[in-house]
Amino acid sequence: MSTETAVQWPAGYRIHPRAEGPAAELVAAFRDIPVAAIGDAMSRNVGTIGLRQYHARLDTVLCGPAVTVRVRPGDNLMIHKALMMVQPGDVLVIDGGGDVSQALVGGLIRTTCIFRRIAGLVIDGAVRDLCEWAEEGMPIFARGHTHRGPSKDGPGEINVPVSCAGLAVLPGDLIVGDADGVIAIPAAECADILARSRAHLVKEAKIRADNQAGRSDPERFDATLRAKGLPV
């Protein structure tokens, strides 16, 4: 009998094993791709909304496979459990329901994250101990912040599909975050999205060079305007 069918989880609780993410070489490659370019390669309508970075350096890149957690707003019991399951390089993606009345993580959890060598955190909820999170070494994106601390009562779920700030995330998805935002790439699609993102960057480089040299093609937009009936 499988573990999945054998375990009778109490209502509101579920803990699944960590899901394998994309190959290490794909994870490394995405560290050099801006989130905006990845988003353009994924139709421009995918990514978090309303999160801000609480680490100080704008050029910090968060990149790694997702370990997902869904918690009751203001409660971090299952976050602590997830931190016992992560592997180095993982990204903890926490669905806290967008609630910012109580912080889900603070400076003490940050020390655990550093010891476990995770790649960072993405939280649809609040954080506290901002001065500690601003230090080098642990990227974090969150909805907001408050001094009010969390409870540790549950319930919650680990490695289940979550919605984090408008971003659908499955366990093992590749999470990439930078100063522009955070995006999730399905593990099975990483190679294709990487190729599309690189091609998009080549296209942008040509447009940028033309703009800088005053060689912008007016037809790039005029053709669209004429198609809409404008006399240009």
Side-chain angles (χ1 to χ4, degrees):
M1 183 178 293
S2 70
T3 302
E4 177 66 20
T5 57
V7 175
Q8 296 297 315
W9 297 104
Y13 293 87
R14 193 170 298 273
I15 301 173
H16 292 295
R18 176 185 177 276
E20 287 298 324
E25 58 268 23
L26 285 171
V27 177
F30 271 103
R31 292 193 183 101
D32 296 325
I33 309 294
V35 167
I38 300 170
D40 286 351
M42 296 179 70
S43 76
R44 295 191 166 186
N45 62 359
V46 177
T48 57
I49 300 170
L51 300 189
R52 56 162 285 192
Q53 67 177 61
Y54 281 89
H55 49 277
R57 290 182 59 101
L58 285 175
D59 60 354
T60 299
V61 175
L62 174 154
C63 187
V67 169
T68 64
V69 188
R70 180 184 293 120
V71 300
R72 177 174 61 80
D75 189 277
N76 72 2
L77 175 64
M78 297 302 265
I79 296 173
H80 285 279
K81 175 58 180 176
L83 283 170
M84 301 177 190
M85 301 170 58
V86 294
Q87 293 187 10
D90 285 345
V91 174
L92 207 57
V93 179
I94 302 168
D95 175 3
D99 178 80
V100 293
S101 64
Q102 290 178 270
L104 291 174
V105 301
L108 295 180
I109 277 184
R110 183 179 183 274
T111 61
T112 301
C113 293
I114 290 172
F115 175 78
R116 302 288 292 185
R117 293 187 291 131
I118 70 171
L121 304 92
V122 183
I123 306 175
D124 197 359
V127 301
R128 70 175 187 176
D129 303 323
L130 268 59
C131 292
E132 294 180 58
W133 288 107
E135 296 173 6
E136 295 272 354
M138 187 51 55
I140 182 170
F141 295 83
R143 173 76 65 179
H145 60 274
T146 178
H147 66 282
R148 296 170 52 157
S151 60
K152 293 173 174 59
D153 296 321
E157 299 171 287
I158 297 173
N159 286 322
V160 297
V162 299
S163 175
C164 184
L167 177 67
V169 183
L170 297 178
D173 282 357
L174 180 61
I175 306 299
V176 186
D178 63 19
D180 283 327
V182 181
I183 203 162
I185 309 163
E189 299 177 20
C190 280
D192 178 59
I193 298 301
L194 178 62
R196 291 173 181 264
S197 300
R198 285 172 168 168
H200 184 77
L201 288 173
V202 171
K203 177 183 175 181
E204 280 195 342
K206 182 181 184 308
I207 294 171
R208 184 175 291 105
D210 288 343
N211 290 347
Q212 291 170 340
R215 297 192 302 265
S216 299
D217 182 5
E219 279 299 294
R220 182 182 174 203
F221 300 109
D222 281 354
T224 298
L225 293 171
R226 281 195 297 272
K228 294 179 180 294
L230 278 72
V232 295

